[in-house]
Amino acid sequence: MLRSMEFKKDLYIDGQWVSGDGYLDIYNPSTGEVITQVATAGDKECEAAVAAAHRAFPGWAKTAPRVRAEILRKAFELVVAEADHLATLISMENGKVFSDAKGEVLYAAEFFRWFSEEAVRTPGDFRKSPSGDKRILVTHQPIGVSLLITPWNFPAAMATRKIGPALAAGCTMIVKPAGETPLTALALMDILERAGVPKGVVNLVLPSNTGPMISKMLHDPRVRNLSFTGSTVVGRLLIKESADCIIRTSMELGGNAPFVVLDDADIDAAVQGAMLAKMRNGGAACTAANRFYIAASVADEFTTKFTAAMSALKMADGLSEGAQLGASVSIKERNKIAELVDSAVQGGGTLHTGGKIPDGAGAFYPPTVISVGSDNLILEHEVFGPVAPIVTFTSDEEAIALANSSEYGLISYVYSRDLARAIRTAEAIESGMVAINKGVISDPAAPFGGVKQSGLGREGGFDGIHEFLETKYIGVEI
Ligand code: NAD
């Protein structure tokens, strides 16, 4: 497997690769070794990025949608052609296994393809007013300079899910990747440059002092839009920061997904779906199944089969042959997972497998299955690791109440052989997305997003581009 690679290590501002006010070490969490150093941005570079995006905006907004579409299409083709390289980068800086990383890259590429197709299809409206005295013309215009902030768990897909619609809409942007995983985002800048994105349209900064520098950008009247994916805590803070200049925000925040198995479910299919919903990305996904609610009459069968599948997974360096579960992104994140499991055991939980930090280097945590009571504190937290707490229930109403007993509402999973029953349950669960008899439903063509404290707005689908467009009404005297 590739170990010595070319990295883009400088900031990307106004079509130039530039150094900043210092350097940040980027670690490989599988080994604890430093991979390389990446330039950090000071106030000067953050200001230069905003100025470049602001200068480039009028020209990019005027570009023919077809031209924007073709640049996005070219970017899609380049990401697919370079998928192995990007997947290796992701695995190195994030720790996830190569197969997960490759899956992410292909998913990420699809956002460029989908929005290349959406760029030429922005709808408008032309109507007679009810009084008949005018015509109502509704059109959409790009919002302007957008700040795109992404997390470490999907370094490619969370970036393209924002960059794709922003480019399609005609916005210019400043990308701020997570400090743990900037190498993938930098590689995407290189791809976008080669795809023909004009200078200044896409810029990347990695601020040396994130909070204050992002706050300064959100108080700059040239910045008009914030698209954030990350934790609810930081999202809440950024909504407050955005209030002063009334900046439009879209927020893809934390999840704590319930995985509900009704008593008539196909248990083998539910176990297979649970493995995907829990273990894609090693459990470090906002969509990860986090609370397993299983009908009491099938709970033993489900727990036995699921525990067997979980404990059979091979945990190893994400780039090693046959690895199925890689490292968490850092020792700090891994230790958070361990603390949650330890407190769940102290709270009366029964471990079926896992639950112990392995010896050796690297931020590893084993697949863990634990039966808990419905009041166990682990159920209140987004675990972000390979941990599955199981709770039993005795009626559909109880399952729905348990599923809704969370401040989060991103995605839920329901297993039942009775489609009407599954749909009734899906409609009663408070979440922006529901998967029925399926472990993964993320799709660039579908609207992704949450309710309650999981966020505001939608990415992907037909809605995604509207996070980057203003609606304008023009009234015409007739
Ligand atoms: P995080 O909130 O710690 O960081 C996200 C981004 O915000 C990073 O780039 C980080 O550097 C930046 N950031 C941190 N503090 C900031 C501040 N004060 N001002 C401005 N920016 C700041 O989240 P994370 O640990 O990187 O990612 C994990 C979280 O992301 C989980 O809660 C997960 O559920 C969520 N997530 C949500 C979705 C979704 O679509 N809903 C997708 C992926 C991840």
Side-chain angles (χ1 to χ4, degrees):
M1 201 47 84
L2 287 171
R3 273 296 179 185
S4 61
M5 300 180 67
E6 293 254 322
F7 304 112
K8 288 284 176 194
K9 297 189 264 194
D10 286 330
L11 307 167
Y12 186 64
I13 299 172
D14 206 12
Q16 306 290 321
W17 294 93
V18 296
S19 56
D21 69 344
Y23 291 94
L24 183 68
D25 287 338
I26 307 303
Y27 290 89
N28 180 338
S30 302
T31 60
E33 290 162 5
V34 173
I35 304 170
T36 187
Q37 289 188 319
V38 165
T40 54
D43 282 326
K44 184 172 136 231
E45 291 76 29
C46 290
E47 159 58 30
V50 173
H54 186 247
R55 265 195 314 275
F57 177 59
W60 183 244
K62 265 198 296 211
T63 309
R66 178 68 75 205
V67 172
R68 299 202 293 261
E70 280 168 6
I71 289 174
L72 276 165
R73 175 74 199 194
K74 177 78 183 155
F76 158 72
E77 285 163 7
L78 286 170
V79 172
V80 172
E82 296 168 27
D84 281 357
H85 172 78
L86 288 164
T88 306
L89 269 184
I90 293 175
S91 187
M92 284 176 83
E93 64 177 352
N94 167 283
K96 71 177 77 173
V97 293
F98 183 80
S99 55
D100 267 343
K102 181 91 181 264
E104 179 192 341
V105 172
L106 298 177
Y107 174 55
E110 288 300 330
F111 286 103
F112 285 160
R113 175 151 70 171
W114 173 257
F115 285 107
S116 79
E117 291 156 353
E118 285 299 283
V120 290
R121 312 220 188 291
T122 323
D125 196 12
F126 183 79
R127 280 181 288 133
K128 191 186 266 190
S129 65
S131 57
D133 67 339
K134 64 179 174 309
R135 296 297 174 266
I136 294 172
L137 214 151
V138 181
T139 185
H140 301 282
Q141 293 181 322
I143 294 182
V145 175
S146 299
L147 182 54
L148 315 181
I149 304 182
T150 59
W152 51 261
N153 64 336
F154 288 100
M158 297 303 96
T160 60
R161 200 165 74 177
K162 299 181 187 305
I163 297 169
L167 285 176
C171 289
T172 56
M173 67 210 76
I174 301 140
V175 179
K176 201 307 262 175
E180 294 87 345
T181 56
L183 297 174
T184 308
L186 286 164
L188 285 174
M189 295 300 111
D190 181 47
I191 282 177
L192 289 166
E193 187 177 45
R194 282 184 279 135
V197 173
K199 69 178 196 149
V201 170
V202 181
N203 306 273
L204 182 146
V205 295
L206 189 61
S208 52
N209 193 0
T210 306
M213 289 177 175
I214 294 292
S215 172
K216 198 166 172 188
M217 287 192 213
L218 293 173
H219 288 86
D220 185 322
R222 293 170 294 181
V223 174
R224 296 308 318 141
N225 188 28
L226 166 66
S227 175
F228 173 78
T229 299
S231 62
T232 297
V233 173
V234 175
R236 196 178 284 129
L237 192 94
L238 294 178
I239 292 173
K240 288 182 188 154
E241 292 279 0
S242 305
D244 291 332
C245 287
I246 315 290
I247 287 181
R248 173 102 154 254
T249 62
S250 75
M251 295 277 150
E252 296 292 345
L253 307 178
N256 186 1
F259 189 97
V260 177
V261 179
L262 300 179
D263 56 11
D264 65 348
D266 174 339
I267 298 303
D268 290 331
V271 168
Q272 212 181 5
M275 290 303 291
L276 283 173
K278 178 71 259 179
M279 296 307 293
R280 177 167 163 258
N281 230 32
C286 52
T287 51
N290 225 23
R291 298 175 287 143
F292 288 77
Y293 295 120
I294 315 295
S297 59
V298 294
D300 282 349
E301 184 188 354
F302 177 88
T303 305
T304 304
K305 289 180 172 171
F306 183 46
T307 302
M310 287 284 273
S311 46
L313 291 177
K314 182 178 170 196
M315 182 171 68
D317 182 323
L319 290 177
S320 65
E321 203 59 41
Q324 292 169 301
L325 171 62
S328 180
V329 75
S330 63
I331 295 286
K332 187 172 145 221
E333 283 296 322
R334 188 274 311 273
N335 290 350
K336 276 198 222 164
I337 300 168
E339 277 167 32
L340 283 168
V341 174
D342 292 349
S343 72
V345 173
Q346 278 158 22
T350 307
L351 278 169
H352 300 290
T353 187
K356 190 172 169 298
I357 293 177
D359 295 334
F364 292 97
Y365 196 81
T368 298
V369 180
I370 178 169
S371 288
V372 298
S374 61
D375 57 350
N376 195 295
L377 290 181
I378 195 168
L379 302 167
E380 291 178 18
H381 297 274
E382 186 184 24
V383 182
F384 238 57
V387 177
I390 295 181
V391 176
T392 59
F393 66 85
T394 52
S395 70
D396 291 14
E397 292 69 31
E398 187 189 1
I400 291 164
L402 288 169
N404 289 342
S405 65
S406 166
E407 65 183 13
Y408 297 104
L410 186 64
I411 187 169
S412 315
Y413 301 84
V414 178
Y415 272 76
S416 168
R417 282 196 172 93
D418 178 341
L419 190 56
R421 190 178 173 199
I423 290 177
R424 275 197 302 277
T425 309
E427 287 182 352
I429 292 182
E430 297 159 352
S431 65
M433 303 176 281
V434 184
I436 294 180
N437 294 332
K438 203 153 172 58
V440 176
I441 57 164
S442 298
D443 190 317
F448 187 106
V451 301
K452 301 197 315 196
Q453 303 210 18
S454 286
L456 302 168
R458 294 292 180 267
E459 291 191 322
F462 300 121
D463 305 39
I465 198 168
H466 286 279
E467 303 291 340
F468 294 91
L469 291 169
E470 296 279 18
T471 300
K472 179 175 272 185
Y473 157 50
I474 303 172
V476 187
E477 170 75 33
I478 292 285

